[in-house]
């Protein structure tokens, strides 16, 4: 096994982007804004399919992209929004693993010092087929290395961490991070057991926020309305955010009694892979920056909407340049809905009117790296 020597210095990222926390930073702050751990996949995404593949036939896709996937979707989305992001993951010592490591560390400035390259373990791969606004995925991988070989016993000191909860399992690092003052934001996958029992999510007790989708929220709370589910979830976690798909998102903050609902932005989706991760990243960014609840929901929804217009999960995530370009474009529409402009007026103080990428106008390269069909071309001699 080998370990990365990457770390965060005062320069932040190798290619610094906008820093939404610039006004809040002090010398005694944690070195990491957001810590996360999980499995990195190589994602191969086919788009432009007219329908689902039919048994016994060959289908041709009009588009294809490759990029790091899995937990890399969330890590990249956070880093592109200017947060100092640290990832603990296992990487295979194959070409796929090398590509994913380089794309995340060199391309996105993500700290991989808690990560490890595992000899003889090949990288997990997911093939995603996007059609009719949905996706079908086929994955392949070998048994993951033991957690004690890929996850530090004590996570780095961080402002926040994003955790994916698994029914029936406890992740010891979550309690340790929370005890060190890290704010935990959690999502959850589908409960294959069918129990949908919140007691099976013991780490939820350490979380500040829980962000399930509507179906998950209703099943866990036994309600028939996602908004009622959000309120019910605040009996278990201070802040509940329920995503409503095409209807946007709804949130309840038990500590303040505040609620907020923001409609989704209508876009023509190319590939929905990773949109949920981008939503969480946008919400975490706004929360750490201290924005009002409705602004956090609006920003999260905007970043997710921008992401589905690009190939792949991780490399579809927008940065501040894309946010700024969208804000300029919507204000240029003559018959734009005034209520919509008002809803996103908070962006006026965050993004420039000119070509700069965002708060502080630092010069991160633009446009951002996007998913391409191959994982790399041979370099000329």
């Amino acid at each position: 096994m080998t370990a990365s020597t990457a770390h965060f210095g005062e320069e932040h990222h190798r290619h610094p982007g906008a820093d939404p926390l610039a006004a809040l930073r002090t010398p005694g702050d944690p070195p990491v804004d957001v810590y996360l751990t999980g499995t990195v996949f190589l994602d191969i995404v086919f788009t432009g399919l007219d329908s689902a593949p039919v048994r016994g036939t060959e289908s041709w896709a009009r588009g294809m992209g490759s990029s790091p996937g899995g937990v890399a979707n969330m890590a990249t989305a956070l880093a592109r929004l200017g947060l100092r992001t640290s990832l603990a993951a296992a990487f295979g010592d194959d070409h796929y693993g090398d590509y994913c490591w380089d794309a995340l560390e060199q391309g996105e400035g993500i700290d991989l010092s808690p990560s490890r390259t595992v000899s003889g373990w090949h990288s997990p791969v997911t093939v995603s087929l996007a059609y009719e606004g949905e996706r079908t995925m086929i994955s392949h991988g070998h048994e993951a290395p033991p957690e004690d070989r890929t996850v530090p016993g004590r996570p780095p000191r961080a402002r926040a961490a994003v955790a994916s909860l698994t029914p029936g399992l406890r992740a010891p690092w979550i309690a340790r991070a929370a005890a060190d003052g890290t704010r935990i934001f959690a999502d959850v996958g589908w409960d294959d057991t069918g129990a949908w029992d919140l007691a099976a999510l013991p780490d939820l007790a350490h979380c500040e926020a829980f962000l399930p989708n509507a179906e998950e929220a209703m099943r866990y709370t036994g309600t028939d309305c996602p908004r009622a589910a959000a309120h019910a979830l605040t009996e278990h976690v201070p802040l509940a955010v329920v995503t409503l798909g095409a209807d946007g998102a709804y949130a309840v903050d038990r500590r303040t009694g505040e609620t907020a609902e923001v409609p989704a932005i209508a876009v023509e989706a190319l590939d929905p892979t990773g949109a949920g991760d981008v939503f969480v990243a946008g919400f975490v960014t706004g929360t750490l920056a201290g924005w009002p609840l409705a602004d956090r929901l609006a920003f999260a929804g905007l970043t997710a909407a921008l992401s589905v217009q690009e190939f792949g999960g991780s490399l579809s995530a927008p940065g501040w340049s894309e946010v700024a370009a969208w804000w300029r474009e919507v204000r240029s529409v003559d018959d734009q809905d005034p209520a919509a402009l008002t809803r996103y007026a908070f962006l006026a103080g965050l993004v420039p009117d000119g070509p700069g990428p965002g708060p502080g106008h630092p010069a991160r390269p633009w446009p951002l790296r996007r998913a391409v069909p191959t994982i790399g071309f041979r370099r000329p001699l």
Side-chain angles (χ1 to χ4, degrees):
M1 292 189 298
T2 59
S4 167
T5 57
H7 67 282
F8 291 113
E10 293 186 3
E11 62 186 8
H12 192 177
H13 299 314
R14 297 176 187 272
H15 305 298
D19 183 0
L21 307 185
L24 304 176
R25 298 195 186 279
T26 65
D29 285 344
V32 171
D33 291 330
V34 186
Y35 169 80
L36 63 166
T37 183
T39 302
V40 173
F41 289 74
L42 172 70
D43 277 359
I44 302 173
V45 180
F46 292 96
T47 66
L49 292 164
D50 295 322
S51 62
V54 178
R55 181 178 177 180
T57 67
E58 180 180 17
S59 299
W60 280 80
R62 291 187 291 274
M64 172 184 169
S66 301
S67 64
V71 71
N73 296 342
M74 183 80 71
T76 301
L78 291 162
R80 288 187 170 188
L81 292 176
L83 298 183
R84 300 175 180 179
T85 303
S86 184
L87 171 64
F91 289 78
D93 62 347
D94 51 14
H95 289 305
Y96 293 168
D98 291 344
Y99 162 74
C100 290
W101 187 293
D102 179 72
L104 297 175
E105 183 184 59
Q106 303 296 326
E108 303 300 333
I110 295 167
D111 171 31
L112 296 182
S113 59
S115 294
R116 300 289 184 271
T117 296
V118 181
S119 178
W121 183 65
H122 90 62
S123 302
V125 177
T126 292
V127 174
S128 178
L129 308 178
Y131 54 88
E132 298 175 353
E134 297 293 340
R135 58 179 176 146
T136 298
M137 296 181 292
I138 302 172
S139 296
H140 171 73
H142 292 179
E143 184 177 356
E147 188 174 278
D148 59 5
R149 297 178 62 191
T150 58
V151 178
R154 182 166 289 276
R157 196 164 63 94
R159 294 175 187 264
V162 179
S164 184
L165 305 183
T166 302
L169 295 179
R170 186 186 296 271
W173 73 265
I174 295 177
R176 297 188 190 112
D180 286 342
T182 298
R183 303 164 70 178
I184 311 295
F185 296 76
D187 60 14
V188 68
W190 190 258
D191 186 355
D192 291 327
T193 71
W196 298 102
D197 182 5
L198 285 170
L201 303 177
D203 288 325
L204 193 61
H206 305 295
C207 297
E208 172 175 330
F210 186 41
L211 298 94
N213 64 35
E215 186 66 22
E216 293 160 349
M218 290 188 291
R219 286 177 179 265
Y220 270 117
T221 58
T223 59
D224 57 5
C225 168
R227 292 160 187 81
H231 286 273
L233 286 172
T234 59
E235 298 177 8
H236 304 272
V237 66
L239 176 59
V241 180
V242 176
T243 55
L244 310 174
D247 292 328
Y250 182 80
V252 183
D253 190 330
R254 182 186 69 203
R255 296 162 300 189
T256 64
E258 185 180 9
T259 64
E261 182 168 2
V262 175
I265 297 173
V267 296
E268 184 174 346
L270 174 66
D271 175 18
T273 304
D277 296 318
V278 175
F279 180 94
V280 174
F283 189 82
V284 170
T285 299
T287 301
L288 294 184
W291 301 348
L293 184 58
D295 290 353
R296 286 179 265 165
L297 282 186
F299 184 73
L302 169 60
T303 54
L306 294 175
S307 77
V308 302
Q309 298 176 82
E310 300 287 347
F311 280 114
S314 62
L315 300 186
S316 70
W320 286 102
S321 291
E322 285 77 13
V323 173
W326 178 86
W327 179 234
R328 290 194 298 272
E329 181 178 350
V330 297
R331 286 183 297 161
S332 69
V333 177
D334 292 336
D335 59 348
Q336 186 62 261
D337 180 3
L341 291 178
T342 300
R343 173 58 272 155
Y344 293 92
F346 69 95
L347 291 174
L350 297 171
V351 297
D353 286 327
H361 300 231
R364 177 166 181 153
W366 187 88
L368 297 173
R369 182 186 298 192
R370 297 301 185 191
V372 294
T374 60
I375 63 173
F377 291 99
R378 292 188 182 92
R379 294 183 176 87
L381 298 177

